[in-house]
Amino acid sequence: MNENDIYGVWLQQAVGEGSRKVPMLLEYFGSCKGVYDADEQEIRLSGILGPKELPRFLDTKLDVAEEILHACKRLGYRILTPEDSRYPDRLRNIPDYPAALYICGELPDIDNEVCVAMVGTRRASRYGYTIANAIAKDLAACGVVVISGGARGIDSAAHQGALLSGGKTIAVLGCGINTRYNMENEGLRQVISTSGALVSEYPPGSPPMSFHFPIRNRIISALSLGVIVVEAGEKSGSLITANLALEQGKDVFAVPGEINSYQAKGTNRLIFDGATPIESAADVLYEYAVRFPHKMNSINLEDKNSRVREKHVRPKWDREALAAKYGISPEQLPDKSNNNPKKKEQSTAPGSSQQKANTKKAPQDTEEAAPPIGMSEGAQKAWKALGSTPKHFQQLMEELHMSSSELSRCITELELYAAVKAHPGNLYSRG
């Protein structure tokens, strides 16, 4: 953090997130501190703020910004203001760029990266979830930074796909980064913060108000070169992002869907109105490979042997935290190196009776085995339902009382932790 951060945070609180008055005030007064130092008469004479905006502006004290800065320092978040050299020019080019961005993780050099956003319905079908995950996985494998909103459905599929390729992904949130919201994605957000960045213009602790999400969508599209829409209803918020992308001069892609599917009404309409239809990541990569050859990995997407190996990101083991979560002692936990349920003091020399007993009963089938740290509740249930004997996807749906899209999301999350193994015939066992 630098000494000017406090003025950027103050300005955002004084005019509100998403306000077009931020660029106007900065242009008129020269800097965030210049706006703060201006007296009431100078603010009125500028003519920038209307009678409804002035009271909030004049009533906002610097103490509010100081509290936010203390919270960010405590939580380890970075702050970016328009005066920071690391503030993306892509974001600065929109007419309502934020006066402050809060970041958890490492934000890539946006202006020099191929960034593509992927958005869509929270109620994704299995088809939508699968195709979004596959496209994001291939994009990330080729060097693209995948940006989405951290929500359920298509957003989750996009982030998880990028992570499975060992790529970078950014989640732009519509609430404070530390807010307890959409807790089934808590583990996913933790992984994103270590392999990319969580970004928000809302300070820590800000609740997820419904009007926040349309406001934050302009940031998703601004950071990206293009936006992919996968499954969106006629009134989906994803269409707001697509329209914002068009206004910002960005590319808009859409995945075609069944004409009778409600989730495809919005995407099919986008294609009818001129969006580029795509079937795979190759259709998107074609647009950027010539413009950014130094940023793109040469991978034949049709040849599975040439693709980047999937990388699984396991959060660090915190034995005491995990023990407390499951109400057991740390000694009962699996060994982090081989995931055995507990260390055995008995001899395991070759040919010993104990070794033979261990080979008869796989560790993952024992009651003591615990799921990896950070999983959502749904993924934990799916993990517990699996064993060494493969189960069919349909059987798991019936056992867990999940829809196909919910179970697909859980299985993809398990793949992030290398906790599931896929077999031919839509069968799954523990990894």
Side-chain angles (χ1 to χ4, degrees):
M1 297 185 189
N2 60 57
E3 59 183 13
N4 291 321
D5 288 348
I6 190 171
Y7 300 109
V9 172
W10 167 82
L11 179 58
Q12 189 142 294
Q13 296 304 299
V15 298
E17 292 82 6
S19 173
R20 293 195 170 209
K21 301 303 174 69
V22 168
M24 298 168 68
L25 287 166
L26 290 179
E27 183 178 357
Y28 190 92
F29 291 101
S31 66
C32 295
K33 188 177 187 303
V35 180
Y36 176 78
D37 289 338
D39 59 31
E40 182 177 342
Q41 185 177 1
E42 290 176 307
I43 296 295
R44 290 182 182 275
L45 287 174
S46 72
I48 296 173
L49 299 178
K52 292 183 178 180
E53 299 166 313
L54 269 170
R56 170 175 175 166
F57 181 89
L58 297 173
D59 291 343
T60 303
K61 307 301 180 185
L62 203 62
D63 294 349
V64 174
E66 288 178 346
E67 291 179 7
I68 293 173
L69 257 67
H70 288 318
C72 290
K73 186 175 181 180
R74 184 179 69 253
L75 294 166
Y77 299 163
R78 285 173 49 212
I79 297 174
L80 276 186
T81 67
E83 295 160 34
D84 195 310
S85 60
R86 298 167 297 175
Y87 194 93
D89 285 338
R90 289 181 192 170
L91 192 56
R92 206 192 306 271
N93 288 335
I94 65 174
D96 46 6
Y97 60 77
L101 276 181
Y102 306 96
I103 300 167
C104 177
E106 190 62 37
L107 190 69
D109 182 8
I110 295 293
D111 296 325
N112 294 304
E113 294 287 349
V114 180
C115 300
V116 174
M118 182 178 288
V119 295
T121 180
R122 288 172 169 80
R123 298 180 178 87
S125 68
R126 190 181 181 196
Y127 160 79
Y129 196 93
T130 302
I131 196 69
N133 187 268
I135 291 175
K137 188 186 297 184
D138 286 342
L139 288 175
C142 292
V144 173
V145 178
V146 177
I147 301 177
S148 197
R152 299 181 181 90
I154 298 302
D155 286 10
S156 295
H159 293 305
Q160 291 171 338
L163 292 169
L164 282 169
S165 280
K168 296 178 182 178
T169 185
I170 299 170
V172 183
L173 308 178
C175 59
I177 293 174
N178 67 328
T179 300
R180 292 183 61 80
Y181 161 72
N182 188 15
M183 294 309 291
E184 69 181 59
N185 272 3
E186 182 182 19
L188 177 60
R189 290 194 294 270
Q190 290 176 359
V191 178
I192 292 172
S193 68
T194 62
S195 305
L198 302 173
V199 176
S200 179
E201 63 182 320
Y202 298 98
S206 298
M209 308 298 289
S210 59
F211 61 88
H212 285 182
F213 297 93
I215 293 174
R216 69 88 196 263
N217 288 348
R218 78 195 193 285
I219 298 178
I220 293 177
S221 56
L223 295 175
S224 310
L225 296 173
V227 174
I228 304 171
V229 184
V230 184
E231 286 197 329
E234 289 180 296
K235 298 182 180 180
S236 171
S238 302
L239 301 183
I240 297 176
T241 309
N243 290 330
L244 287 167
L246 289 172
E247 291 176 9
Q248 296 167 1
K250 306 302 176 76
D251 302 316
V252 176
F253 308 93
V255 175
E258 296 180 3
I259 59 174
N260 294 325
S261 170
Y262 172 79
Q263 287 101 324
K265 292 291 186 183
T267 47
N268 289 345
R269 171 55 59 177
L270 283 174
I271 294 171
F272 183 82
D273 290 340
T276 303
I278 64 169
E279 296 179 347
S280 66
D283 297 326
V284 180
L285 294 167
Y286 175 79
E287 300 288 333
Y288 304 117
V290 177
R291 292 161 57 186
F292 300 91
H294 60 294
K295 286 291 182 179
M296 309 299 284
N297 299 327
S298 297
I299 296 174
N300 178 5
L301 295 176
E302 301 301 323
D303 181 4
K304 293 184 178 181
N305 294 323
S306 72
R307 292 165 65 175
V308 173
R309 278 193 168 196
E310 292 183 359
K311 296 185 179 180
H312 306 281
V313 186
R314 292 178 182 267
K316 293 181 179 178
W317 281 76
D318 184 339
R319 299 183 69 81
E320 293 184 0
L322 187 62
K325 179 177 180 179
Y326 290 98
I328 57 178
S329 66
E331 290 74 21
Q332 291 178 286
L333 286 173
D335 182 84
K336 63 181 179 181
S337 61
N338 57 21
N339 210 31
N340 284 336
K342 55 169 88 171
K343 293 182 178 179
K344 303 289 185 179
E345 294 183 1
Q346 293 91 335
S347 170
T348 56
S352 68
S353 59
Q354 183 59 45
Q355 187 193 45
K356 293 177 181 178
N358 287 344
T359 58
K360 290 179 181 178
K361 193 172 185 180
Q364 67 262 31
D365 289 338
T366 64
E367 294 182 359
E368 296 89 343
I373 302 170
M375 277 188 188
S376 68
E377 184 177 346
Q380 289 184 38
K381 289 180 180 178
W383 185 87
K384 290 175 181 177
L386 291 169
S388 58
T389 302
K391 289 186 178 181
H392 194 273
F393 187 90
Q394 186 66 34
Q395 181 184 352
L396 288 169
M397 282 177 55
E398 295 171 358
E399 286 184 14
L400 298 168
H401 303 289
M402 288 184 178
S403 67
S404 61
S405 60
E406 288 174 327
L407 182 55
S408 293
R409 181 172 63 244
C410 291
I411 288 176
T412 305
E413 185 177 345
L414 291 173
E415 288 179 331
L416 281 173
Y417 295 89
V420 68
K421 184 183 295 183
H423 303 273
N426 221 7
L427 299 170
Y428 299 91
S429 64
R430 286 196 191 171

